Amino acid sequence: MLDARQLEALAAVVEHRGFGPAAQALNLTLAAVSLRIKSLEEHLGQRLLVRGKAVRATAAGQALLAHVKQLQMMEADLLAGLQGGAESRAGAAWQSLSVATNADSVASWFLPGVASVLQKHRLLLDVMIDDQDHTHDLLRSGEVIGCVTTLTEPMRGCVAEPLGVMRYRCVAAPEVVQRCRTPRGAVSPHKLLAHPAIIFNRKDALQDAFLRQHFGLKQPAYPRHYAPAVDAFERAIELGLGWGMVPEQHLKDRPGMQEVLPGATVDVTLYWQHWAREPLSAQRLTQAVKAAAHAALPPVAA
Protein backbone atom coordinates (compact mmCIF):
# COMPACT_ATOMS: atom_id res chain seq x y z
CA MET A 1 0.00 0.00 0.00
CA LEU A 2 1.14 3.53 -0.74
CA ASP A 3 1.15 6.12 2.02
CA ALA A 4 -1.25 8.97 1.21
CA ARG A 5 0.88 11.55 3.03
CA GLN A 6 3.96 10.54 1.07
CA LEU A 7 2.07 10.78 -2.21
CA GLU A 8 0.77 14.19 -1.19
CA ALA A 9 4.32 15.34 -0.54
CA LEU A 10 5.50 14.06 -3.94
CA ALA A 11 2.69 15.86 -5.75
CA ALA A 12 3.40 19.09 -3.86
CA VAL A 13 7.14 19.03 -4.62
CA VAL A 14 6.52 18.54 -8.34
CA GLU A 15 3.67 21.07 -8.49
CA HIS A 16 5.60 23.76 -6.62
CA ARG A 17 8.93 22.78 -8.21
CA GLY A 18 10.86 22.55 -4.97
CA PHE A 19 10.94 21.14 -1.45
CA GLY A 20 10.76 24.54 0.26
CA PRO A 21 7.63 25.78 -1.56
CA ALA A 22 6.03 22.33 -1.10
CA ALA A 23 6.66 22.43 2.65
CA GLN A 24 5.10 25.87 2.84
CA ALA A 25 2.04 24.75 0.84
CA LEU A 26 1.57 21.68 3.06
CA ASN A 27 2.28 23.61 6.28
CA LEU A 28 5.10 21.21 7.12
CA THR A 29 8.78 21.57 7.84
CA LEU A 30 11.27 21.07 5.04
CA ALA A 31 12.67 18.08 6.89
CA ALA A 32 9.24 16.44 7.08
CA VAL A 33 8.67 16.75 3.35
CA SER A 34 12.15 15.42 2.58
CA LEU A 35 11.61 12.46 4.92
CA ARG A 36 8.29 11.56 3.28
CA ILE A 37 9.84 11.60 -0.19
CA LYS A 38 12.84 9.59 1.00
CA SER A 39 10.58 7.00 2.67
CA LEU A 40 8.47 6.68 -0.47
CA GLU A 41 11.55 6.19 -2.65
CA GLU A 42 12.93 3.57 -0.26
CA HIS A 43 9.57 1.78 -0.20
CA LEU A 44 9.45 1.63 -4.03
CA GLY A 45 13.16 1.01 -4.42
CA GLN A 46 13.76 3.78 -6.99
CA ARG A 47 14.31 7.49 -7.34
CA LEU A 48 11.18 9.55 -7.94
CA LEU A 49 12.73 13.01 -8.16
CA VAL A 50 15.78 14.52 -9.79
CA ARG A 51 17.16 16.95 -7.23
CA GLY A 52 18.71 20.16 -8.45
CA LYS A 53 18.02 23.83 -8.96
CA ALA A 54 14.74 22.84 -10.60
CA VAL A 55 13.29 19.67 -9.08
CA ARG A 56 11.62 17.36 -11.61
CA ALA A 57 10.08 13.91 -11.55
CA THR A 58 11.82 10.84 -12.93
CA ALA A 59 9.90 8.52 -15.26
CA ALA A 60 8.75 6.53 -12.21
CA GLY A 61 7.83 9.76 -10.45
CA GLN A 62 5.81 10.92 -13.44
CA ALA A 63 3.82 7.68 -13.48
CA LEU A 64 3.18 7.95 -9.75
CA LEU A 65 2.19 11.61 -10.06
CA ALA A 66 -0.44 10.77 -12.69
CA HIS A 67 -1.75 8.09 -10.32
CA VAL A 68 -1.95 10.62 -7.48
CA LYS A 69 -3.90 13.10 -9.63
CA GLN A 70 -6.34 10.39 -10.66
CA LEU A 71 -6.90 9.39 -7.04
CA GLN A 72 -7.49 12.98 -5.99
CA MET A 73 -10.03 13.54 -8.75
CA MET A 74 -11.81 10.25 -8.12
CA GLU A 75 -12.05 11.08 -4.42
CA ALA A 76 -13.55 14.49 -5.20
CA ASP A 77 -16.08 12.90 -7.56
CA LEU A 78 -16.97 10.29 -4.94
CA LEU A 79 -17.53 12.90 -2.23
CA ALA A 80 -19.72 14.95 -4.56
CA GLY A 81 -21.78 11.84 -5.34
CA LEU A 82 -22.17 10.94 -1.65
CA GLN A 83 -23.42 14.45 -1.00
CA GLY A 84 -26.10 14.07 -3.67
CA GLY A 85 -24.53 15.96 -6.52
CA ALA A 86 -23.35 18.76 -4.30
CA GLU A 87 -20.90 19.99 -6.93
CA SER A 88 -23.71 21.92 -8.57
CA ARG A 89 -24.77 23.71 -5.39
CA ALA A 90 -23.44 27.10 -4.36
CA GLY A 91 -20.88 26.83 -1.60
CA ALA A 92 -19.75 23.32 -2.57
CA ALA A 93 -16.04 22.61 -2.92
CA TRP A 94 -14.28 23.47 -6.16
CA GLN A 95 -12.17 20.90 -7.98
CA SER A 96 -9.03 21.79 -9.92
CA LEU A 97 -8.12 20.33 -13.33
CA SER A 98 -4.72 20.98 -14.94
CA VAL A 99 -4.50 21.16 -18.73
CA ALA A 100 -1.95 22.25 -21.31
CA THR A 101 -2.73 24.09 -24.53
CA ASN A 102 -1.22 26.49 -27.02
CA ALA A 103 -1.81 30.20 -26.54
CA ASP A 104 -3.72 30.64 -29.82
CA SER A 105 -6.31 28.03 -28.82
CA VAL A 106 -6.89 29.05 -25.22
CA ALA A 107 -8.48 32.42 -25.93
CA SER A 108 -10.04 31.80 -29.34
CA TRP A 109 -12.06 28.61 -28.71
CA PHE A 110 -10.87 26.65 -25.66
CA LEU A 111 -11.98 28.90 -22.80
CA PRO A 112 -15.23 30.08 -24.43
CA GLY A 113 -16.09 26.45 -25.16
CA VAL A 114 -15.54 25.07 -21.66
CA ALA A 115 -16.69 28.06 -19.58
CA SER A 116 -20.24 26.82 -18.97
CA VAL A 117 -19.07 23.37 -17.85
CA LEU A 118 -16.56 24.89 -15.45
CA GLN A 119 -19.23 27.07 -13.88
CA LYS A 120 -21.92 24.39 -13.74
CA HIS A 121 -19.77 21.76 -12.07
CA ARG A 122 -17.51 24.11 -10.02
CA LEU A 123 -14.33 23.13 -11.80
CA LEU A 124 -11.16 25.21 -11.55
CA LEU A 125 -8.89 25.26 -14.58
CA ASP A 126 -5.11 25.37 -14.17
CA VAL A 127 -3.95 26.19 -17.72
CA MET A 128 -0.33 25.69 -18.72
CA ILE A 129 0.65 27.38 -21.98
CA ASP A 130 3.18 25.81 -24.33
CA ASP A 131 3.69 25.33 -28.04
CA GLN A 132 1.27 22.76 -29.50
CA ASP A 133 4.24 20.58 -30.46
CA HIS A 134 5.38 20.37 -26.83
CA THR A 135 2.25 20.33 -24.63
CA HIS A 136 2.27 16.52 -24.54
CA ASP A 137 5.45 16.66 -22.44
CA LEU A 138 3.34 18.05 -19.60
CA LEU A 139 0.87 15.18 -19.94
CA ARG A 140 3.69 12.65 -19.98
CA SER A 141 5.20 14.17 -16.83
CA GLY A 142 1.89 13.85 -14.98
CA GLU A 143 1.50 17.61 -14.51
CA VAL A 144 -1.74 17.84 -16.52
CA ILE A 145 -4.71 15.55 -17.18
CA GLY A 146 -5.10 16.53 -20.83
CA CYS A 147 -3.50 18.63 -23.54
CA VAL A 148 -4.16 20.23 -26.90
CA THR A 149 -1.36 18.86 -29.04
CA THR A 150 -0.19 17.99 -32.55
CA LEU A 151 0.87 14.51 -31.39
CA THR A 152 -1.28 11.99 -33.23
CA GLU A 153 -0.18 8.79 -31.50
CA PRO A 154 -1.67 8.33 -28.02
CA MET A 155 0.85 8.13 -25.24
CA ARG A 156 0.82 5.25 -22.81
CA GLY A 157 -2.46 5.16 -20.89
CA CYS A 158 -3.90 7.99 -22.98
CA VAL A 159 -6.34 8.59 -25.84
CA ALA A 160 -5.73 11.00 -28.74
CA GLU A 161 -8.91 12.45 -30.25
CA PRO A 162 -8.91 14.78 -33.29
CA LEU A 163 -10.14 18.30 -32.59
CA GLY A 164 -9.77 20.11 -35.88
CA VAL A 165 -7.40 22.33 -37.80
CA MET A 166 -5.95 25.68 -36.74
CA ARG A 167 -5.37 27.55 -40.00
CA TYR A 168 -2.64 30.19 -39.97
CA ARG A 169 -2.01 32.97 -42.47
CA CYS A 170 1.11 35.08 -42.94
CA VAL A 171 0.23 38.71 -42.26
CA ALA A 172 1.86 42.09 -41.78
CA ALA A 173 0.92 45.75 -41.66
CA PRO A 174 -0.17 47.00 -45.14
CA GLU A 175 2.97 49.13 -45.56
CA VAL A 176 5.20 46.14 -44.77
CA VAL A 177 3.31 43.95 -47.26
CA GLN A 178 3.81 46.62 -49.95
CA ARG A 179 7.56 46.71 -49.32
CA CYS A 180 7.70 42.92 -49.78
CA ARG A 181 6.33 43.08 -53.34
CA THR A 182 8.09 43.45 -56.67
CA PRO A 183 7.08 46.24 -59.09
CA ARG A 184 4.73 43.70 -60.72
CA GLY A 185 3.02 42.99 -57.41
CA ALA A 186 4.48 39.53 -56.72
CA VAL A 187 5.77 38.65 -53.26
CA SER A 188 9.55 38.58 -53.11
CA PRO A 189 10.81 36.11 -50.46
CA HIS A 190 14.11 38.00 -50.33
CA LYS A 191 12.32 41.26 -49.52
CA LEU A 192 10.16 39.43 -46.96
CA LEU A 193 13.22 37.99 -45.22
CA ALA A 194 14.76 41.45 -45.05
CA HIS A 195 12.03 42.33 -42.57
CA PRO A 196 11.92 40.88 -39.05
CA ALA A 197 9.49 38.11 -38.25
CA ILE A 198 7.34 38.40 -35.15
CA ILE A 199 7.61 35.06 -33.34
CA PHE A 200 5.69 33.95 -30.26
CA ASN A 201 8.60 32.11 -28.61
CA ARG A 202 11.64 30.03 -29.50
CA LYS A 203 9.56 26.87 -29.88
CA ASP A 204 7.38 28.51 -32.55
CA ALA A 205 8.15 26.97 -35.96
CA LEU A 206 5.17 28.28 -37.96
CA GLN A 207 7.22 30.88 -39.82
CA ASP A 208 9.71 28.27 -41.00
CA ALA A 209 6.83 26.00 -42.04
CA PHE A 210 5.32 28.83 -44.13
CA LEU A 211 8.62 29.59 -45.87
CA ARG A 212 9.23 25.90 -46.56
CA GLN A 213 5.75 25.14 -47.87
CA HIS A 214 5.24 28.20 -50.05
CA PHE A 215 8.74 29.28 -51.08
CA GLY A 216 10.75 26.06 -50.76
CA LEU A 217 13.13 27.67 -48.26
CA LYS A 218 14.63 25.48 -45.55
CA GLN A 219 15.73 27.18 -42.33
CA PRO A 220 16.61 30.54 -43.90
CA ALA A 221 18.21 33.25 -41.80
CA TYR A 222 16.08 36.30 -41.00
CA PRO A 223 15.79 38.83 -38.14
CA ARG A 224 13.29 37.99 -35.41
CA HIS A 225 11.31 39.73 -32.69
CA TYR A 226 10.00 37.52 -29.85
CA ALA A 227 6.68 38.45 -28.22
CA PRO A 228 5.38 35.62 -25.97
CA ALA A 229 1.88 37.01 -25.41
CA VAL A 230 -0.92 36.91 -27.97
CA ASP A 231 -1.92 40.57 -27.57
CA ALA A 232 1.68 41.80 -27.75
CA PHE A 233 2.43 39.48 -30.67
CA GLU A 234 -0.47 40.78 -32.77
CA ARG A 235 0.11 44.38 -31.72
CA ALA A 236 3.73 44.16 -32.89
CA ILE A 237 2.50 43.10 -36.35
CA GLU A 238 -0.03 45.94 -36.50
CA LEU A 239 2.70 48.41 -35.54
CA GLY A 240 4.70 47.38 -38.60
CA LEU A 241 7.52 45.74 -36.67
CA GLY A 242 7.45 42.68 -38.94
CA TRP A 243 5.44 39.78 -40.33
CA GLY A 244 4.00 36.77 -38.53
CA MET A 245 1.65 33.80 -38.59
CA VAL A 246 -1.80 34.50 -37.13
CA PRO A 247 -4.81 32.14 -36.84
CA GLU A 248 -7.72 32.87 -39.15
CA GLN A 249 -9.99 33.26 -36.12
CA HIS A 250 -7.90 36.25 -34.97
CA LEU A 251 -8.04 38.13 -38.30
CA LYS A 252 -11.68 39.20 -38.27
CA ASP A 253 -12.07 42.98 -38.20
CA ARG A 254 -8.30 43.56 -38.06
CA PRO A 255 -7.60 46.22 -40.73
CA GLY A 256 -4.09 46.62 -39.33
CA MET A 257 -3.15 43.20 -40.75
CA GLN A 258 -2.96 42.19 -44.39
CA GLU A 259 -2.04 38.85 -45.95
CA VAL A 260 1.48 38.72 -47.32
CA LEU A 261 0.70 35.87 -49.71
CA PRO A 262 -3.09 35.74 -50.16
CA GLY A 263 -4.57 32.25 -49.94
CA ALA A 264 -1.40 30.64 -48.59
CA THR A 265 -1.96 28.88 -45.28
CA VAL A 266 -0.20 26.65 -42.79
CA ASP A 267 -2.63 24.12 -41.31
CA VAL A 268 -1.94 22.66 -37.86
CA THR A 269 -3.99 19.60 -36.92
CA LEU A 270 -4.82 19.51 -33.23
CA TYR A 271 -5.68 16.57 -30.97
CA TRP A 272 -6.95 16.29 -27.40
CA GLN A 273 -4.75 13.80 -25.56
CA HIS A 274 -6.14 12.72 -22.20
CA TRP A 275 -6.15 9.82 -19.78
CA ALA A 276 -7.94 6.74 -21.07
CA ARG A 277 -9.49 6.21 -17.63
CA GLU A 278 -10.90 9.57 -16.61
CA PRO A 279 -12.79 10.52 -13.46
CA LEU A 280 -16.21 12.08 -14.05
CA SER A 281 -15.01 15.67 -13.76
CA ALA A 282 -12.31 15.08 -16.38
CA GLN A 283 -14.83 13.34 -18.65
CA ARG A 284 -17.02 16.44 -18.52
CA LEU A 285 -14.08 18.64 -19.49
CA THR A 286 -13.11 16.31 -22.34
CA GLN A 287 -16.61 16.42 -23.81
CA ALA A 288 -16.66 20.22 -23.57
CA VAL A 289 -13.23 20.56 -25.23
CA LYS A 290 -14.23 18.30 -28.12
CA ALA A 291 -17.54 20.09 -28.66
CA ALA A 292 -15.89 23.51 -28.57
CA ALA A 293 -13.21 22.53 -31.08
CA HIS A 294 -15.67 20.88 -33.47
CA ALA A 295 -17.80 24.04 -33.42
CA ALA A 296 -14.91 26.44 -34.01
CA LEU A 297 -12.33 24.63 -36.13
CA PRO A 298 -12.36 23.09 -39.62
CA PRO A 299 -12.49 19.27 -39.36
CA VAL A 300 -9.45 17.06 -39.70
CA ALA A 301 -9.24 15.61 -43.20
CA ALA A 302 -10.15 11.94 -43.37
Side-chain angles (χ1 to χ4, degrees):
M1 296 293 293
L2 297 171
D3 187 294
R5 294 178 303 171
Q6 295 173 356
L7 294 177
E8 180 185 45
L10 174 68
V13 169
V14 174
E15 179 181 354
H16 297 285
R17 301 185 185 281
F19 283 80
Q24 186 175 8
L26 296 174
N27 198 26
L28 295 171
T29 65
L30 181 61
V33 173
S34 298
L35 180 60
R36 290 183 183 184
I37 298 296
K38 181 180 178 181
S39 299
L40 182 59
E41 289 180 325
E42 290 177 348
H43 175 65
L44 296 174
Q46 54 188 309
R47 297 292 293 272
L48 301 174
L49 296 173
V50 177
R51 277 79 166 170
K53 188 174 182 180
V55 179
R56 59 185 177 85
T58 64
Q62 292 171 6
L64 198 55
L65 182 62
H67 173 70
V68 173
K69 284 185 175 291
Q70 285 182 315
L71 287 179
Q72 291 172 339
M73 292 169 62
M74 290 173 65
E75 182 178 284
D77 288 342
L78 175 61
L79 290 175
L82 291 174
Q83 294 167 6
E87 84 270 19
S88 63
R89 295 206 306 264
W94 291 80
Q95 185 175 352
S96 181
L97 301 176
S98 300
V99 300
T101 181
N102 58 318
D104 290 332
S105 291
V106 70
S108 61
W109 63 265
F110 190 97
L111 284 180
V114 304
S116 62
V117 169
L118 300 180
Q119 294 169 341
K120 179 179 179 180
H121 298 290
R122 300 182 67 80
L123 301 176
L124 299 174
L125 209 56
D126 183 359
V127 180
M128 300 185 187
I129 301 295
D130 205 342
D131 185 87
Q132 59 269 8
D133 293 335
H134 299 271
T135 49
H136 64 273
D137 291 333
L138 293 166
L139 181 59
R140 179 182 289 115
S141 69
E143 295 178 69
V144 300
I145 62 155
C147 65
V148 176
T149 177
T150 56
L151 187 66
T152 60
E153 290 297 321
M155 294 186 294
R156 183 178 179 182
C158 295
V159 176
E161 302 191 70
L163 293 175
V165 174
M166 287 284 284
R167 183 159 289 154
Y168 290 82
R169 296 184 182 273
C170 181
V171 298
E175 61 271 21
V176 174
V177 174
Q178 189 60 37
R179 292 198 296 267
C180 293
R181 299 191 184 281
T182 65
R184 294 185 177 183
V187 176
S188 166
H190 299 292
K191 290 186 176 183
L192 177 64
L193 296 182
H195 292 82
I198 313 297
I199 298 178
F200 190 79
N201 62 28
R202 284 167 175 77
K203 295 179 180 179
D204 186 359
L206 288 171
Q207 288 77 13
D208 286 341
F210 172 78
L211 295 171
R212 183 174 61 253
Q213 289 180 28
H214 299 290
F215 294 108
L217 301 176
K218 296 182 179 180
Q219 297 183 330
Y222 51 91
R224 308 168 189 227
H225 291 295
Y226 292 97
V230 172
D231 289 346
F233 174 87
E234 295 180 357
R235 184 60 178 150
I237 295 174
E238 291 179 322
L239 289 171
L241 296 180
W243 55 278
M245 303 299 296
V246 175
E248 279 187 340
Q249 293 95 329
H250 294 197
L251 294 177
K252 297 176 181 177
D253 302 320
R254 301 296 290 266
M257 296 183 187
Q258 181 179 328
E259 276 196 79
V260 173
L261 188 62
T265 66
V266 173
D267 289 351
V268 177
T269 302
L270 298 178
Y271 295 83
W272 176 244
Q273 286 241 18
H274 60 93
W275 293 336
R277 298 176 60 187
E278 289 186 309
L280 179 59
S281 52
Q283 292 175 26
R284 288 168 171 159
L285 180 65
T286 286
Q287 293 304 316
V289 169
K290 291 162 56 179
H294 295 164
L297 302 177
V300 177

